[in-house]
Amino acid sequence: MLHRYETDGAEIYRQSFATIRREAALARFNPAEERVVVRMIHAAGMVELAPHVAFSPGMAEAAEAALRGGAPVLCDVRMVSEGITRHRLPAHNRVLCTLQDERVAALAHEMGTTRSAAAVEMWRPDLAGAVVAIGNAPTALFHLLNLLRQPDCPRPAAIIGCPVGFVGAMESKEALMQDLPVPAMVVRGRLGGSAMTVAAINALASHAE
């Protein structure tokens, strides 16, 4: 017997988001934040993600305004940059990932750090007013925080800090929320990853579900 299943893509989305809103603990989020969290839960398949998501006041609104104003999106890895749905971006925003730049390996060796951290060093010309999306590398987030302690470093509009893993991920996100150089959001603890980060950007870029 053939399997029967829902074949209407729009209906699949409708049912999915309805299930998330019915089952997830979303009451503490404002409408802009809720849209982000719902999409992140959808990407992860985890309604239990909601308690781990933290926003600084006004972060979602600041990131939305920056994207509407044409801000670039700076990504730590191509899994993030390639996952962003371009037609959702409100101002044909540039999406940049410098990790594959041919200069990064030598710069990482010179700096005595990871390629992910060295790639962040190359964001300086585009950092002012940008939306930063870090979904993989704790070293990228730590290096960004160190850069932003420099008085002459340009300031992004907002930071999505969702590196994932067991070494430095939790610590880098806690450091972001403690330093709070600009409005920020994180998934606390070891959870995170590129799919959640992409979902957050896509939600901030467009209200359409």
Side-chain angles (χ1 to χ4, degrees):
M1 181 180 293
L2 294 176
H3 296 288
R4 301 181 67 84
Y5 56 94
E6 180 61 65
T7 58
D8 184 327
E11 179 60 16
I12 291 170
Y13 270 95
R14 188 196 69 76
Q15 291 185 30
S16 296
F17 288 123
T19 299
I20 291 167
R21 289 193 164 93
R22 184 171 63 250
E23 296 185 6
L26 302 172
R28 68 187 176 91
F29 300 112
N30 69 33
E33 295 167 348
E34 181 186 301
R35 284 190 295 271
V36 175
V37 178
V38 166
R39 275 210 164 256
M40 293 173 74
I41 290 171
H42 182 256
M46 295 174 57
V47 293
E48 60 270 29
L49 178 67
H52 301 278
V53 181
F55 294 82
S56 69
M59 182 277 172
E61 294 82 359
E64 287 183 354
L67 291 173
R68 288 195 303 270
V73 183
L74 307 182
C75 308
D76 64 328
V77 291
R78 288 191 65 188
M79 286 181 68
V80 175
S81 63
E82 295 303 310
I84 294 169
T85 305
R86 297 309 196 265
H87 72 77
R88 293 182 68 90
L89 294 170
H92 304 289
N93 309 69
R94 290 180 303 141
V95 179
L96 306 175
C97 177
T98 54
L99 188 60
Q100 267 64 49
D101 189 289
E102 61 185 12
R103 297 166 291 177
V104 164
L107 183 59
H109 179 74
E110 178 186 330
M111 294 170 59
T113 190
T114 66
R115 290 175 63 246
S116 295
V120 170
E121 187 70 27
M122 300 182 68
W123 289 355
R124 285 179 184 264
D126 300 289
L127 196 54
V131 176
V132 172
I134 296 178
N136 182 266
T139 57
L141 183 50
F142 273 127
H143 188 66
L144 177 62
L145 291 176
N146 286 340
L147 281 183
L148 293 174
R149 289 184 172 227
Q150 301 173 10
D152 61 341
C153 183
R155 319 296 280 186
I159 299 171
I160 297 170
C162 296
V164 62
F166 300 93
V167 179
M170 176 173 63
E171 293 83 357
S172 66
K173 291 178 281 190
E174 291 304 315
L176 171 59
M177 298 307 279
Q178 289 170 14
D179 285 10
L180 205 61
V182 299
M185 68 148 291
V186 299
V187 175
R188 295 191 185 275
R190 295 171 171 175
L191 295 172
S194 298
M196 291 186 194
T197 306
V198 167
I201 288 290
N202 285 339
L204 292 164
S206 171
H207 291 182
E209 291 190 342

